[in-house]
């Protein structure tokens, strides 16, 4: 009987050790899970901060772009620096093109920082490109956009090119219904 009690006690000790090890492993896993959750939350916070910083950088860039264009619009000598068009322009036409550039760049910036969807971008562009001056500007700067392959700006430029083709081919005066707005992905 004494041998039997000793075996049961030994078995009980082994079970106790196993239970202790299992409890320790569970505690370690719980601590590891908590650390992983904390790390995941921190990473998400950093990613949101990066998006916010990117949007702030784009807004700052847009502001600087507008300041430079404003100077060129106000000063014909500075406007000559930005005359990258393939045809000679009058000072008036150059100023109009610079303003058209500012309008389009503003629309592009709104899209890039997330203030509008691709569908909204399309609809605003459809209205903006009713102006013959904006269209002339667009056609005069096509060679500049040709080097933007593989970028968001290139995709949106192609969207505008397709829209203008559809507007030119449409046999309706109701321009606001021409073209199918793209689906947001």
């Amino acid at each position: 009987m004494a041998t039997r009690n000793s075996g049961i006690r030994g078995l009980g000790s082994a079970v106790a050790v196993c239970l202790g090890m299992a409890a320790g492993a569970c505690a370690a896993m719980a601590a590891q899970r908590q650390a992983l959750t904390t790390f995941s939350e921190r990473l998400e916070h950093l990613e949101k901060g990066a998006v916010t910083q990117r949007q702030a950088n784009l807004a700052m860039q847009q502001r600087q772009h507008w300041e430079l264009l404003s100077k060129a619009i106000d000063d014909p000598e500075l406007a000559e620096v930005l005359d990258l068009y393939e045809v000679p322009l009058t000072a008036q036409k150059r100023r109009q093109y610079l303003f058209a550039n500012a309008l389009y760049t503003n629309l592009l910036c709104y899209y890039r920082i997330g203030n509008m969807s691709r569908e909204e971008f399309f609809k605003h562009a459809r209205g903006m490109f009713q102006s013959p001056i904006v269209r002339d500007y667009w056609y005069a700067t096509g060679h500049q956009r040709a080097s933007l392959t593989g970028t968001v700006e290139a995709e949106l430029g192609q969207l505008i090119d397709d829209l203008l083709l559809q507007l030119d081919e449409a046999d309706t005066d109701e321009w606001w219904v021409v073209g199918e707005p793209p689906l947001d992905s």
Side-chain angles (χ1 to χ4, degrees):
M1 188 70 142
T3 310
R4 206 171 194 198
N5 282 342
S6 163
I8 290 176
R9 269 190 239 132
L11 185 59
S13 297
V15 168
V17 168
C18 286
L19 286 175
M21 286 177 40
C26 285
M29 285 176 51
Q32 191 175 31
R33 182 172 182 83
Q34 179 59 36
L36 186 58
T37 299
T38 301
F39 177 74
S40 178
E41 288 170 355
R42 179 71 179 142
L43 183 60
E44 185 177 320
H45 176 74
L46 289 172
E47 288 172 347
K48 285 180 182 176
V51 168
T52 300
Q53 184 61 49
R54 181 176 177 273
Q55 290 174 337
N57 291 345
L58 284 169
M60 176 64 80
Q61 178 187 3
Q62 175 64 20
R63 176 81 178 143
Q64 290 171 341
H65 182 258
W66 172 246
E67 288 174 8
L68 291 170
L69 284 179
S70 292
K71 287 179 181 184
I73 289 170
D74 293 340
D75 185 340
E77 290 177 5
L78 294 178
E80 288 181 27
V81 174
L82 296 175
D83 193 345
L84 305 172
Y85 313 106
E86 294 183 358
V87 295
L89 300 177
T90 64
Q92 176 188 1
K93 184 64 84 173
R94 187 179 305 116
R95 288 180 71 207
Q96 291 172 334
Y97 280 14
L98 291 173
F99 190 74
N101 175 278
L103 288 174
Y104 178 72
T105 304
N106 187 59
L107 185 64
L108 180 65
C109 183
Y110 266 49
Y111 172 76
R112 290 178 68 194
I113 64 174
N115 283 356
M116 69 173 49
S117 67
R118 190 174 284 241
E119 179 181 358
E120 291 169 316
F121 174 89
F122 178 86
K123 290 176 180 179
H124 283 282
R126 186 169 49 193
M128 183 182 353
F129 281 91
Q130 292 309 301
S131 164
I133 295 168
V134 175
R135 282 190 188 201
D136 288 346
Y137 155 77
W138 189 258
Y139 296 133
T141 57
H143 64 283
Q144 294 172 20
R145 285 187 307 284
S147 65
L148 299 176
T149 58
T151 65
V152 171
E153 194 169 345
E155 289 175 22
L156 296 174
Q158 186 59 55
L159 182 102
I160 299 294
D161 289 340
D162 294 344
L163 171 62
L164 291 176
L165 185 63
Q166 292 171 15
L167 286 167
D168 288 342
E169 292 175 351
D171 37 335
T172 180
D173 291 334
E174 297 174 345
W175 58 264
W176 55 91
V177 298
V178 174
E180 194 64 35
L183 298 175
D184 289 316
S185 42

Short mmCIF file of all heavy atoms in Angstrom, two decimals, residues 23-54:
data_model
loop_
_atom_site.label_atom_id
_atom_site.label_comp_id
_atom_site.label_asym_id
_atom_site.label_seq_id
_atom_site.Cartn_x
_atom_site.Cartn_y
_atom_site.Cartn_z
N ALA A 23 -0.13 26.32 -17.04
CA ALA A 23 -0.57 27.64 -16.57
C ALA A 23 0.46 28.70 -16.95
O ALA A 23 0.10 29.81 -17.38
CB ALA A 23 -0.79 27.62 -15.06
N GLY A 24 1.74 28.38 -16.81
CA GLY A 24 2.80 29.31 -17.19
C GLY A 24 2.77 29.60 -18.68
O GLY A 24 2.94 30.74 -19.10
N ALA A 25 2.56 28.56 -19.47
CA ALA A 25 2.50 28.74 -20.93
C ALA A 25 1.30 29.61 -21.30
O ALA A 25 1.40 30.49 -22.17
CB ALA A 25 2.42 27.39 -21.63
N CYS A 26 0.16 29.38 -20.64
CA CYS A 26 -1.03 30.20 -20.91
C CYS A 26 -0.78 31.65 -20.53
O CYS A 26 -1.17 32.57 -21.26
CB CYS A 26 -2.24 29.65 -20.15
SG CYS A 26 -2.91 28.14 -20.86
N ALA A 27 -0.13 31.86 -19.39
CA ALA A 27 0.18 33.22 -18.96
C ALA A 27 1.13 33.89 -19.95
O ALA A 27 0.96 35.06 -20.30
CB ALA A 27 0.77 33.22 -17.55
N ALA A 28 2.12 33.14 -20.43
CA ALA A 28 3.07 33.69 -21.40
C ALA A 28 2.36 34.01 -22.71
O ALA A 28 2.62 35.06 -23.32
CB ALA A 28 4.21 32.70 -21.64
N MET A 29 1.46 33.13 -23.14
CA MET A 29 0.72 33.38 -24.38
C MET A 29 -0.19 34.60 -24.23
O MET A 29 -0.32 35.41 -25.15
CB MET A 29 -0.10 32.15 -24.78
CG MET A 29 0.76 31.03 -25.35
SD MET A 29 -0.12 29.51 -25.73
CE MET A 29 -1.48 30.05 -26.71
N ALA A 30 -0.82 34.75 -23.06
CA ALA A 30 -1.69 35.90 -22.83
C ALA A 30 -0.87 37.19 -22.86
O ALA A 30 -1.29 38.19 -23.44
CB ALA A 30 -2.42 35.76 -21.49
N ALA A 31 0.31 37.16 -22.24
CA ALA A 31 1.17 38.34 -22.25
C ALA A 31 1.64 38.64 -23.67
O ALA A 31 1.70 39.80 -24.10
CB ALA A 31 2.37 38.12 -21.33
N GLN A 32 1.97 37.59 -24.42
CA GLN A 32 2.43 37.78 -25.79
C GLN A 32 1.29 38.32 -26.66
O GLN A 32 1.49 39.20 -27.49
CB GLN A 32 2.93 36.44 -26.34
CG GLN A 32 3.66 36.55 -27.64
CD GLN A 32 4.24 35.21 -28.07
OE1 GLN A 32 3.70 34.17 -27.79
NE2 GLN A 32 5.36 35.29 -28.78
N ARG A 33 0.08 37.83 -26.43
CA ARG A 33 -1.08 38.31 -27.17
C ARG A 33 -1.32 39.79 -26.88
O ARG A 33 -1.62 40.58 -27.77
CB ARG A 33 -2.30 37.47 -26.84
CG ARG A 33 -3.54 37.87 -27.61
CD ARG A 33 -4.65 36.86 -27.36
NE ARG A 33 -5.84 37.15 -28.11
CZ ARG A 33 -6.05 36.81 -29.37
NH1 ARG A 33 -5.13 36.15 -30.03
NH2 ARG A 33 -7.18 37.11 -29.97
N GLN A 34 -1.21 40.16 -25.60
CA GLN A 34 -1.39 41.56 -25.21
C GLN A 34 -0.33 42.44 -25.87
O GLN A 34 -0.61 43.52 -26.37
CB GLN A 34 -1.33 41.72 -23.68
CG GLN A 34 -1.48 43.16 -23.21
CD GLN A 34 -2.78 43.82 -23.64
OE1 GLN A 34 -3.83 43.18 -23.69
NE2 GLN A 34 -2.71 45.10 -23.97
N ALA A 35 0.90 41.98 -25.90
CA ALA A 35 1.99 42.73 -26.53
C ALA A 35 1.73 42.87 -28.03
O ALA A 35 1.95 43.94 -28.61
CB ALA A 35 3.33 42.05 -26.29
N LEU A 36 1.24 41.81 -28.65
CA LEU A 36 0.94 41.84 -30.08
C LEU A 36 -0.21 42.81 -30.37
O LEU A 36 -0.16 43.58 -31.34
CB LEU A 36 0.59 40.44 -30.58
CG LEU A 36 0.39 40.27 -32.07
CD1 LEU A 36 1.64 40.69 -32.83
CD2 LEU A 36 0.05 38.83 -32.40
N THR A 37 -1.23 42.82 -29.52
CA THR A 37 -2.35 43.75 -29.67
C THR A 37 -1.87 45.19 -29.53
O THR A 37 -2.23 46.06 -30.33
CB THR A 37 -3.45 43.44 -28.63
OG1 THR A 37 -3.92 42.10 -28.85
CG2 THR A 37 -4.61 44.42 -28.74
N THR A 38 -1.04 45.44 -28.53
CA THR A 38 -0.49 46.78 -28.32
C THR A 38 0.35 47.21 -29.53
O THR A 38 0.24 48.34 -30.01
CB THR A 38 0.37 46.82 -27.04
OG1 THR A 38 -0.46 46.44 -25.93
CG2 THR A 38 0.96 48.19 -26.80
N PHE A 39 1.17 46.29 -30.02
CA PHE A 39 2.00 46.57 -31.19
C PHE A 39 1.12 46.87 -32.40
O PHE A 39 1.37 47.81 -33.15
CB PHE A 39 2.93 45.39 -31.48
CG PHE A 39 3.77 45.56 -32.70
CD1 PHE A 39 4.85 46.42 -32.71
CD2 PHE A 39 3.48 44.85 -33.87
CE1 PHE A 39 5.62 46.60 -33.83
CE2 PHE A 39 4.25 45.02 -35.00
CZ PHE A 39 5.33 45.89 -34.98
N SER A 40 0.07 46.09 -32.60
CA SER A 40 -0.84 46.28 -33.73
C SER A 40 -1.54 47.64 -33.65
O SER A 40 -1.67 48.35 -34.65
CB SER A 40 -1.86 45.15 -33.76
OG SER A 40 -2.78 45.33 -34.80
N GLU A 41 -1.98 48.02 -32.45
CA GLU A 41 -2.63 49.32 -32.27
C GLU A 41 -1.65 50.45 -32.55
O GLU A 41 -2.02 51.45 -33.17
CB GLU A 41 -3.19 49.43 -30.85
CG GLU A 41 -4.41 48.55 -30.60
CD GLU A 41 -4.80 48.49 -29.14
OE1 GLU A 41 -4.08 49.05 -28.27
OE2 GLU A 41 -5.84 47.87 -28.85
N ARG A 42 -0.43 50.31 -32.10
CA ARG A 42 0.60 51.33 -32.34
C ARG A 42 0.89 51.47 -33.83
O ARG A 42 1.03 52.57 -34.35
CB ARG A 42 1.87 50.96 -31.56
CG ARG A 42 3.00 51.92 -31.76
CD ARG A 42 2.74 53.23 -31.06
NE ARG A 42 3.90 54.10 -31.26
CZ ARG A 42 3.83 55.39 -31.47
NH1 ARG A 42 2.67 55.99 -31.45
NH2 ARG A 42 4.90 56.10 -31.65
N LEU A 43 0.99 50.34 -34.52
CA LEU A 43 1.24 50.34 -35.95
C LEU A 43 0.10 51.03 -36.70
O LEU A 43 0.33 51.84 -37.60
CB LEU A 43 1.43 48.91 -36.46
CG LEU A 43 1.79 48.75 -37.92
CD1 LEU A 43 3.10 49.46 -38.24
CD2 LEU A 43 1.91 47.28 -38.28
N GLU A 44 -1.13 50.74 -36.32
CA GLU A 44 -2.29 51.38 -36.94
C GLU A 44 -2.25 52.89 -36.71
O GLU A 44 -2.53 53.67 -37.62
CB GLU A 44 -3.58 50.78 -36.36
CG GLU A 44 -4.84 51.30 -37.02
CD GLU A 44 -6.08 50.62 -36.47
OE1 GLU A 44 -6.05 49.41 -36.22
OE2 GLU A 44 -7.08 51.34 -36.30
N HIS A 45 -1.90 53.30 -35.51
CA HIS A 45 -1.77 54.72 -35.18
C HIS A 45 -0.71 55.38 -36.06
O HIS A 45 -0.91 56.48 -36.58
CB HIS A 45 -1.44 54.89 -33.70
CG HIS A 45 -1.21 56.30 -33.28
ND1 HIS A 45 -2.23 57.21 -33.15
CD2 HIS A 45 -0.07 56.96 -32.98
CE1 HIS A 45 -1.73 58.37 -32.80
NE2 HIS A 45 -0.42 58.26 -32.68
N LEU A 46 0.42 54.72 -36.23
CA LEU A 46 1.50 55.27 -37.06
C LEU A 46 1.08 55.36 -38.52
O LEU A 46 1.41 56.33 -39.21
CB LEU A 46 2.76 54.42 -36.93
CG LEU A 46 3.49 54.53 -35.58
CD1 LEU A 46 4.61 53.49 -35.51
CD2 LEU A 46 4.03 55.92 -35.37
N GLU A 47 0.35 54.36 -39.01
CA GLU A 47 -0.12 54.38 -40.39
C GLU A 47 -1.10 55.53 -40.61
O GLU A 47 -1.03 56.23 -41.62
CB GLU A 47 -0.76 53.05 -40.76
CG GLU A 47 0.23 51.93 -40.92
CD GLU A 47 -0.41 50.56 -41.10
OE1 GLU A 47 -1.63 50.41 -40.86
OE2 GLU A 47 0.32 49.63 -41.48
N LYS A 48 -2.00 55.77 -39.65
CA LYS A 48 -2.93 56.89 -39.76
C LYS A 48 -2.16 58.21 -39.75
O LYS A 48 -2.49 59.14 -40.49
CB LYS A 48 -3.95 56.86 -38.64
CG LYS A 48 -5.02 55.81 -38.80
CD LYS A 48 -6.00 55.83 -37.66
CE LYS A 48 -7.04 54.72 -37.81
NZ LYS A 48 -7.95 54.67 -36.66
N GLY A 49 -1.15 58.28 -38.91
CA GLY A 49 -0.32 59.48 -38.86
C GLY A 49 0.41 59.72 -40.17
O GLY A 49 0.54 60.87 -40.62
N ALA A 50 0.86 58.65 -40.80
CA ALA A 50 1.56 58.78 -42.09
C ALA A 50 0.61 59.29 -43.17
O ALA A 50 0.98 60.13 -43.99
CB ALA A 50 2.16 57.44 -42.50
N VAL A 51 -0.64 58.81 -43.17
CA VAL A 51 -1.63 59.27 -44.15
C VAL A 51 -1.93 60.75 -43.91
O VAL A 51 -1.98 61.54 -44.85
CB VAL A 51 -2.92 58.42 -44.07
CG1 VAL A 51 -4.06 59.06 -44.84
CG2 VAL A 51 -2.66 57.01 -44.57
N THR A 52 -2.10 61.12 -42.66
CA THR A 52 -2.37 62.52 -42.32
C THR A 52 -1.20 63.40 -42.74
O THR A 52 -1.41 64.48 -43.31
CB THR A 52 -2.63 62.66 -40.80
OG1 THR A 52 -3.76 61.85 -40.45
CG2 THR A 52 -2.89 64.09 -40.41
N GLN A 53 0.02 62.94 -42.50
CA GLN A 53 1.20 63.72 -42.88
C GLN A 53 1.29 63.84 -44.40
O GLN A 53 1.61 64.90 -44.93
CB GLN A 53 2.47 63.08 -42.33
CG GLN A 53 3.73 63.89 -42.61
CD GLN A 53 3.69 65.26 -41.97
OE1 GLN A 53 3.39 65.40 -40.80
NE2 GLN A 53 3.99 66.29 -42.75
N ARG A 54 0.97 62.77 -45.11
CA ARG A 54 0.99 62.81 -46.58
C ARG A 54 -0.01 63.82 -47.10
O ARG A 54 0.28 64.60 -48.01
CB ARG A 54 0.70 61.43 -47.14
CG ARG A 54 0.73 61.36 -48.66
CD ARG A 54 0.51 59.93 -49.15
NE ARG A 54 0.47 59.89 -50.57
CZ ARG A 54 -0.64 60.08 -51.31
NH1 ARG A 54 -1.79 60.31 -50.73
NH2 ARG A 54 -0.59 60.04 -52.62
#
